[in-house]
Every structure is written in C-alpha cells, then in structure tokens.
C-alpha cells in the first residue's frame, strides 16, 4: 500500500512562502503512474487541486495558483514538496498530498493508495 504524509510549519506569516513536504512510502514517485498532487481545503469550502508532479518530473498547476506555486521532488528521499509564495489569510487551509492515478507510459499502478492525513496551515501575523 502507498501512504503519504505531510510535514511542515503550521503557521506562516503574510507575504512569506508556505513550504510543505510529502513523504511517500510503499511506492516510488519516479515509477508510479500518478500525478503526485497537492490539494487544499479552506475552512467551509471544498477541495481545491493545486498542482502535481508526475513520475517523469513534469509539473502541472491550477491556473489560479500557477504564478505562486512551485512543486519539486527529491527522488532519493521519495519526497515531493510544495512552495506557495506571497501567502495571504485566504491561503489558510488544510493541505493534503495525494496520489491521483493517471495514464502514462513506463509506469506502475499500485493496488492500494491513500491520501495523507492533511496538515493545517494558518496564515496570520
């Protein structure tokens, strides 16, 4: 089974950069047929897909967040990270990392995958 876990600061000041890391166990981010994704949920609102990095390292982003978002990976640690710059209180949310299955060549599908538990990030001075 593939399990993900988020880590990073729970409090970020306005105008600073929010940085989170997702650690993946049970599968490889470089060979799994997944968009290794960041998803967030602000209080009282629905889930918002932010962006992802695929097994081949290609990134994609939500158009509304692309200018402020950067996703990278450390293959040696089987981790991928999120950086969201110039944050405001509107960026306060629970942040999840999640594997989203996709159709690609030269990759492997896993039997069971699980989202991270989510981590609360509050933007406040």
């Amino acid at each position: 089974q593939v399990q993900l876990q988020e880590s990073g600061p729970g409090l970020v000041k306005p105008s600073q950069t929010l940085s989170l890391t997702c650690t993946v166990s049970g599968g490889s981010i470089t060979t799994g047929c997944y968009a290794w994704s960041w998803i967030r949920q602000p209080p009282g609102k629905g889930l918002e897909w932010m962006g992802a990095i695929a097994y081949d390292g290609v990134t994609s982003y939500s158009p509304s967040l692309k200018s402020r978002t950067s996703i990278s990976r450390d293959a040696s640690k089987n981790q991928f990270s999120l950086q969201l710059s110039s944050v405001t209180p509107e960026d306060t949310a629970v942040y999840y990392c999640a594997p989203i299955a996709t159709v690609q060549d030269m990759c492997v599908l896993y039997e069971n995958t699980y989202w991270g538990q989510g981590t609360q990030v509050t933007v406040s001075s």
Side-chain angles (χ1 to χ4, degrees), residues 6 37-51 62 64-65 90 92-100 115-119:
E6 306 89 352
S37 301
W38 287 100
I39 299 165
R40 69 179 183 179
Q41 185 171 33
K45 298 183 179 181
L47 297 170
E48 178 185 23
W49 179 81
M50 302 180 69
S62 169
S64 64
L65 296 171
E90 287 188 333
T92 294
V94 176
Y95 286 76
Y96 301 91
C97 54
I100 299 177
W115 287 33
Q117 293 295 307
T119 186

Side-chain angles (χ1 to χ4, degrees), residues 8-115:
L11 180 65
V12 184
K13 294 182 178 181
S15 80
Q16 294 186 337
T17 296
L18 183 159
S19 297
L20 297 172
T21 297
C22 182
T23 300
V24 179
S25 62
S28 173
I29 64 172
T30 61
T31 59
C33 294
Y34 300 91
W36 303 96
S37 301
W38 287 100
I39 299 165
R40 69 179 183 179
Q41 185 171 33
K45 298 183 179 181
L47 297 170
E48 178 185 23
W49 179 81
M50 302 180 69
I53 185 165
Y55 79 101
D56 58 359
V58 176
T59 55
S60 58
Y61 302 99
S62 169
S64 64
L65 296 171
K66 185 175 182 178
S67 66
R68 299 193 293 131
T69 306
S70 179
I71 296 173
S72 58
R73 69 180 182 180
D74 185 339
S76 68
K77 297 181 179 180
N78 212 36
Q79 295 177 329
F80 64 101
S81 299
L82 169 72
Q83 291 190 314
L84 182 67
S85 65
S86 303
V87 298
T88 72
E90 287 188 333
D91 294 310
T92 294
V94 176
Y95 286 76
Y96 301 91
C97 54
I100 299 177
T102 186
V103 178
Q104 297 178 356
D105 293 329
M106 303 295 180
C107 59
V108 176
L109 288 170
Y110 302 107
E111 294 183 1
N112 298 290
T113 60
Y114 301 90
W115 287 33

